[in-house]
Amino acid sequence: MSRIAVIGGTGYAGRHIVAEAAQRGHTVLVVARKAVSDRVEHAMYLEGSILDVPTLVTEMQGVEVVIVAVAARGDMAGMLRPAVAELAAELPPEVRLGVIGGAGGSRVSPDGPRLVHTPEFAEEYKPEALEALAILEDLETGAERDWFYVHPAGGFGPWNPGERTGSYRDGGPVLVVDPDGESMISGADLAVAVVDEIE
């Protein structure tokens, strides 16, 4: 079993990853900016922020995988990219790094543009999507460690919770859609995919 830290582990994606990993018997450390009363059984909780990388690295000693499940929106807009770069540079080299991005960084086809660069992509979500994409590009060009990055489906979020089916499709860099052109995954099934990747 792995020792996993989930930064942003009380948010939508993060709490599902925490629950799935704990249910499978992994040791899970939840990092959140505020204490919460609704906790996942068998997970440990730590108040902390990705904006304070030196303290986090010290407090996460012994973990084997760190997942960043923080969105580049609200007060994190413009702050997440440099924080993830600092984290990637400061974690011990044997620690695997995972980042949960957004659907906007997915390609529409293997050689096609990224979703965020298409005319249909909503303007209001572009800043968040572009920062998430920049984090991926930073990892691709500079991270000297084992890392992975997950683009959720287009219809991923608390407004579309769905249920756990235990299955998912991996499109690599391409957005996965069904025969009707819909792109959906529940929080629980995204967590299955992430924990499968860790294992």
Side-chain angles (χ1 to χ4, degrees), residues 18-19 22-23 28 38-45:
V18 168
Q23 185 272 328
V28 186
D38 184 21
R39 296 182 173 208
V40 173
E41 191 175 0
H42 305 300
M44 298 169 288
Y45 285 73

Side-chain angles (χ1 to χ4, degrees), residues 6-15 30-32 67 69-70:
V6 182
I7 302 173
T10 58
Y12 182 71
R15 77 173 181 262
V30 179
V31 180
I67 304 295
V70 178

Side-chain angles (χ1 to χ4, degrees), residues 27-112:
T27 300
V28 186
L29 174 64
V30 179
V31 180
R33 292 190 287 175
K34 297 176 189 169
V36 294
S37 57
D38 184 21
R39 296 182 173 208
V40 173
E41 191 175 0
H42 305 300
M44 298 169 288
Y45 285 73
L46 168 70
E47 281 189 61
S49 170
I50 193 168
L51 300 180
D52 183 4
V53 168
T55 300
L56 274 189
V57 169
T58 299
E59 293 178 336
M60 295 188 304
Q61 284 186 11
V63 301
E64 298 166 292
V65 182
V66 174
I67 304 295
V68 178
V70 178
R73 71 172 79 96
D75 63 350
M76 291 303 294
M79 311 281 284
L80 190 59
R81 181 184 184 188
V84 173
E86 183 181 1
L87 184 66
E90 296 298 324
L91 283 171
E94 68 277 6
V95 175
R96 191 172 190 210
L97 178 62
V99 177
I100 309 304
S106 297
R107 295 192 178 278
V108 298
S109 63
D111 298 318

Side-chain angles (χ1 to χ4, degrees), residues 6 8-23 40 69 156-158 160-164 186-192 194-195:
V6 182
T10 58
Y12 182 71
R15 77 173 181 262
H16 282 96
I17 295 166
V18 168
E20 181 70 21
Q23 185 272 328
V40 173
F156 172 77
N160 181 36
E163 55 189 50
R164 186 185 192 283
S186 68
D189 282 342
L190 178 85
V192 171
V194 171
V195 179

